[in-house]
Amino acid sequence: MLLPAEGSVVVSYVDSRFGAQLRALRTARGLSLRALGQLAHRGKSHLHDLETGVKAPALETARHLDEVLEAGGALVRLVGQPVDHDAEADELLARVRASDVSAETLTRIEASVDDLASAYATSRPVDLLPLVRRRLAYVGRLLDGRGTLAQRRRLIVAGGWLTVLRVTVHIDLLQRSAGSAHLVAAARLAEHAEHREIQAWCLETQAWDRLTQGGYRQAIDLSQQAQRVAPRGSSAHLQATAQEARGWARVGDVRRTRAVLDRLEQSTSNLPVPERAEHHYRYDPTKALAYTATTLSWAGDPAAVQVARVALAELDPRGDGGERPRRSASARLDLALALVAAGQPDEASAVAAEAIRSGRVVSSNWWRAREVLERVEQIDAAEASVLRAAYQVYRPVD
């Protein structure tokens, strides 16, 4: 499961305008990233991550940069008071006692949940997080009122969906302690509402997190638990099945990988394209193809190259990132890994570098870019030089 929180989980809230303000102050003074880094005693790549929103600054960092740039507190004002994630999660749970809200308000809340889940595919995690937090705070305030059991349940379900989305965004930002705190809240909200699909998504989200950290057997077990909990044929059930296949691929069990993929194909062969295919919690045929490409790439299956090319062509037909640029970037990493396995390091390096330069590889997915780089270097160090240069410029600072 997610890494447990050590004590209270406290993270500073950062206004999404911080990066743009830092860049404006730097350029107004005619400073390059390297020059500012020398003045502020900070790494060039760290400053790049602050400007692009990949990393959130500590309050002390913002204060120091303010002094170096003589900004008069402009940067510090964009770094708010610390956020106690444990307290926020506990506060929402404590408010699940009554509700007092109109049918129109409930409908608007549920629509906003779908809007935020759909925005996940195109938004930077650092931009999406404050939007989810504000909507959760609104749901929390409404839970202070009185109302019917039906109204109360709808609010709890909305809070559950928003909280599991928040967990996913925290994981994308490598804020695992915060994610752990809110995962507990999401699971309890799902339990209160007796909502099996949200319960299954909590397990599936843990499975993905374990997979990214190398806990492949745990990921398989969590995926299987999610399948047992989820309603048969639901998006959560299908996603958990795909996640199980990925787990078997990572442990090198090609037979089981193929068996689970076959089971997934049977379940999705007649699956209609949902009204909002970009919705993070709705499974669609394009998503199925992309997951198959990822799984075959990890399994080292020779069919991976062709499947990955088809998936990328569907996601990004014009080569500009398409309507789901984050997924397109992941599809390029899948294709690159498959190309390396097929003995084509030159194309693999070019495709992976394109994914990296897109700026759409979230922090939790950088291990995939690193894996491609390491495999290219094993085959052709000369080809890897360009890829490593791109990797060093864009990678998040540990």
Side-chain angles (χ1 to χ4, degrees):
M1 60 185 298
L2 289 167
L3 292 175
E6 296 179 1
S8 182
V9 182
V10 181
V11 178
S12 294
Y13 167 70
V14 180
D15 192 302
S16 60
R17 296 171 295 176
F18 181 92
Q21 182 67 51
L22 175 58
R23 183 166 51 253
L25 289 168
R26 175 178 61 78
T27 56
R29 287 158 179 73
L31 297 172
S32 65
L33 281 171
R34 186 181 301 279
L36 177 58
Q38 292 173 343
L39 289 172
H41 305 292
R42 296 291 190 277
K44 174 184 173 182
S45 59
H46 180 60
L47 293 173
H48 175 272
D49 287 346
L50 293 180
E51 289 192 356
T52 57
V54 172
K55 284 287 186 180
L59 183 59
E60 188 56 38
T61 298
R63 185 177 292 113
H64 180 63
L65 289 171
D66 248 332
E67 294 173 356
V68 171
L69 293 168
E70 299 178 350
L75 293 174
V76 171
R77 284 192 290 272
L78 296 176
V79 181
Q81 294 301 311
V83 176
D84 188 330
H85 292 282
D86 284 323
E88 283 193 359
D90 291 342
E91 181 182 9
L92 180 59
L93 289 171
R95 287 173 170 173
V96 182
R97 298 187 183 93
S99 62
D100 186 9
V101 60
S102 69
E104 181 182 357
T105 299
L106 279 170
T107 300
R108 285 202 307 269
I109 289 172
E110 289 164 345
S112 71
V113 171
D114 288 334
D115 289 342
L116 289 169
S118 298
Y120 177 81
T122 57
S123 303
R124 297 188 313 165
V126 71
D127 294 331
L128 186 60
L129 182 57
L131 301 179
V132 177
R133 287 186 62 235
R134 282 199 291 271
R135 184 53 52 174
L136 266 170
Y138 180 49
V139 171
R141 288 194 297 272
L142 292 174
L143 284 170
D144 277 335
R146 297 180 179 276
T148 67
L149 289 175
Q151 290 174 334
R152 177 172 175 264
R153 185 181 186 278
R154 287 174 68 180
L155 279 175
I156 295 171
V157 169
W161 282 120
L162 288 169
T163 305
V164 76
L165 177 61
R166 179 173 185 167
V167 172
T168 304
V169 177
H170 279 305
I171 291 173
D172 284 340
L173 293 170
L174 298 182
Q175 298 170 354
R176 288 194 168 90
S177 291
S180 179
H182 293 288
L183 181 68
V184 172
R188 289 179 181 169
L189 288 167
E191 183 180 357
H192 275 298
E194 298 181 346
H195 201 292
R196 291 168 56 202
E197 187 155 15
I198 297 178
Q199 290 176 317
W201 276 110
C202 289
L203 290 164
E204 190 280 335
T205 301
Q206 291 181 73
W208 166 245
D209 187 55
R210 293 308 306 150
L211 198 68
T212 64
Q213 297 183 75
Y216 307 135
R217 293 287 178 179
Q218 290 172 290
I220 292 169
D221 182 58
L222 286 163
S223 298
Q224 292 171 341
Q225 289 181 49
Q227 290 171 65
R228 290 192 291 270
V229 170
R232 178 68 59 175
S234 66
S235 291
H237 188 274
L238 297 173
Q239 176 73 13
T241 304
Q243 211 65 273
E244 182 190 352
R246 288 176 165 186
W248 288 121
R250 294 304 283 181
V251 299
D253 194 325
V254 178
R255 182 184 63 81
R256 282 182 169 148
T257 299
R258 277 290 188 180
V260 178
L261 284 178
D262 289 344
R263 193 169 78 235
L264 181 63
E265 185 177 0
Q266 291 173 9
S267 300
T268 59
S269 57
N270 296 316
L271 189 70
V273 177
E275 184 178 345
R276 301 180 75 169
E278 72 279 9
H279 196 295
H280 187 60
Y281 298 112
R282 291 179 188 163
Y283 204 84
D284 70 273
T286 303
K287 187 181 289 188
L289 184 62
Y291 287 154
T292 299
T294 302
T295 305
L296 293 178
S297 297
W298 288 350
D301 193 303
V305 172
Q306 183 57 31
V307 175
R309 288 193 195 280
V310 173
L312 181 57
E314 289 195 12
L315 284 166
D316 189 9
R318 298 181 303 276
D320 59 359
E323 296 180 355
R324 283 165 276 186
R326 284 175 56 182
R327 198 176 296 171
S328 296
S330 295
R332 283 185 167 84
L333 293 177
D334 291 336
L335 176 57
L337 188 61
L339 287 165
V340 172
Q344 301 177 52
D346 51 349
E347 186 181 358
S349 181
V351 171
E354 187 177 359
I356 290 170
R357 294 192 190 103
S358 73
R360 293 292 185 167
V361 179
V362 297
S363 297
S364 62
N365 244 359
W366 271 93
W367 64 278
R368 297 173 67 180
R370 184 172 62 251
E371 183 172 11
V372 174
L373 174 60
E374 290 172 350
R375 293 198 184 186
V376 171
E377 285 181 327
Q378 291 173 1
I379 299 175
D380 192 329
E383 283 294 341
S385 61
V386 174
L387 178 57
R388 175 163 286 283
Y391 180 89
Q392 293 291 355
V393 169
Y394 287 89
R395 74 179 179 88
V397 176
D398 297 331

